[in-house]
Amino acid sequence: MAESIIIKSGRDIEQMRQAGRITAGARSIARQAVADGVTTKQIDKLVHEFIVKSGAKPTFLGYGGFPASACVSVNDEVIHGIPGKRVIHNGDIVSIDVGATYRGFVGDCAGTFPCGEVSEDAKKLIAVTRQSFFEGIKFAKVGYRISDIGAAIQEYVESHGYSVVRDYVGHGVGREMHEAPEVPNYRVDRHERGFGRRPDPRLVAGMTIAIEPMVNIGGYQVKVLDNDWTVVTVDGTLSAHYENTIAITDGEPEILTMAEDI
């Protein structure tokens, strides 16, 4: 039986706004820290300190055994990069995924940021990935289906010659970081829907979801490294990630993790 979607009350969504502001702030702090010579662990430390100072809890820390407060993924690393001694250099692109739990509710967001001067291909990848999110939320409205979001993302990404990762998807978010429904970033074929397959619910007011396109310059195939966390592109090409937590309303979707400078 499919997991039930939890519809949030107005009070719930106000709590999620607060969690979202903290999470977006942590992403901003991380973005500003991306510089030549900085280690991924230093970025994680800044994220952890900001979230705790804000009165929240780093959602990722200990989640499924994850050892840090932020996922910091560099170049061909798609998601779930474990912060450590790796040094970031000019020309790298750095994907940073953060989560904060505040008064029982979770905010979840991510972005990919350049270190110094990066290639034109890297700049375009980052821009297309970010914009694909905004193409998707044009359909994050009452009456559309979850699959309409993914179809819009895929169409935009592929129009630029890139590919959308299939193995990992967005998700519902609320009191838990991962709730129903799954939110694919690609068009869900009919044979994937229906009983015993991936549900494709219609959107209703009060749903809160994290939409997070993961886009590769090359093929969409990915693999997990031996640390059982870090996901990389199979062909070694660059990957970018962009995510926000949003609320479905009676009108336009509300982005709960949108910082002014992101």
Side-chain angles (χ1 to χ4, degrees), residues 2 145-147 150-151 154 164-169 182-201 220:
R145 291 189 180 275
I146 286 289
S147 61
Q154 181 181 9
V164 177
V165 171
R166 306 289 202 277
D167 293 41
Y168 299 88
V169 298
E182 291 188 340
V183 185
N185 302 299
Y186 56 91
R187 184 179 293 100
V188 178
D189 295 331
R190 289 182 180 178
H191 72 271
E192 291 187 56
R193 305 177 189 168
F195 184 76
R197 300 182 178 88
R198 175 172 277 140
D200 187 21
Y220 63 76

Side-chain angles (χ1 to χ4, degrees), residues 72-116:
V72 186
S73 309
V74 183
N75 294 334
D76 66 329
E77 295 175 347
V78 182
I79 50 172
H80 302 163
I82 299 175
K85 296 179 180 179
R86 180 169 184 171
V87 177
I88 297 167
H89 297 291
N90 285 330
D92 288 339
I93 63 171
V94 186
S95 298
I96 300 167
D97 194 352
V98 295
T101 303
Y102 182 74
R103 295 184 178 176
F105 285 93
V106 175
D108 187 9
C109 66
T112 300
F113 311 109
C115 179

Side-chain angles (χ1 to χ4, degrees), residues 25-250:
R27 179 174 57 183
S28 264
I29 291 291
R31 177 192 64 79
Q32 294 166 34
V34 171
D36 186 55
V38 171
T39 67
T40 55
K41 183 64 176 177
Q42 286 174 305
I43 293 175
D44 176 69
K45 184 174 185 289
L46 290 170
V47 167
H48 180 92
E49 290 174 348
F50 177 84
I51 292 172
V52 171
K53 184 179 179 180
S54 300
K57 175 185 175 182
T59 310
F60 294 1
L61 185 60
Y63 187 87
F66 191 75
S69 298
C71 299
V72 186
S73 309
V74 183
N75 294 334
D76 66 329
E77 295 175 347
V78 182
I79 50 172
H80 302 163
I82 299 175
K85 296 179 180 179
R86 180 169 184 171
V87 177
I88 297 167
H89 297 291
N90 285 330
D92 288 339
I93 63 171
V94 186
S95 298
I96 300 167
D97 194 352
V98 295
T101 303
Y102 182 74
R103 295 184 178 176
F105 285 93
V106 175
D108 187 9
C109 66
T112 300
F113 311 109
C115 179
E117 189 62 31
V118 301
S119 69
E120 290 303 315
D121 284 344
K123 290 178 185 176
K124 181 181 175 184
L125 174 67
I126 291 170
V128 167
T129 303
R130 184 182 188 277
Q131 184 58 35
S132 73
F133 166 87
F134 290 98
E135 296 299 317
I137 66 168
K138 291 177 182 178
F139 297 90
K141 300 177 183 178
V142 171
Y144 285 107
R145 291 189 180 275
I146 286 289
S147 61
D148 294 319
I149 297 172
I153 291 171
Q154 181 181 9
E155 181 177 353
Y156 182 77
V157 167
E158 292 183 352
S159 75
H160 290 275
Y162 300 147
S163 62
V164 177
V165 171
R166 306 289 202 277
D167 293 41
Y168 299 88
V169 298
H171 50 89
V173 60
R175 290 189 178 274
E176 301 293 333
M177 183 161 63
H178 292 107
E179 298 182 350
E182 291 188 340
V183 185
N185 302 299
Y186 56 91
R187 184 179 293 100
V188 178
D189 295 331
R190 289 182 180 178
H191 72 271
E192 291 187 56
R193 305 177 189 168
F195 184 76
R197 300 182 178 88
R198 175 172 277 140
D200 187 21
R202 289 196 184 277
L203 299 168
V204 299
M207 289 174 66
T208 48
I209 57 178
I211 300 172
E212 51 176 321
M214 291 152 267
V215 178
N216 301 341
I217 281 185
Y220 63 76
Q221 295 85 358
V222 298
K223 63 182 179 180
V224 181
L225 297 183
D226 291 341
N227 63 22
D228 293 329
W229 279 106
T230 307
V231 178
V232 301
T233 58
V234 167
D235 58 15
T237 56
L238 294 178
S239 184
H241 183 199
Y242 188 77
E243 174 186 22
N244 281 305
T245 300
I246 72 166
I248 306 301
T249 74
D250 288 324

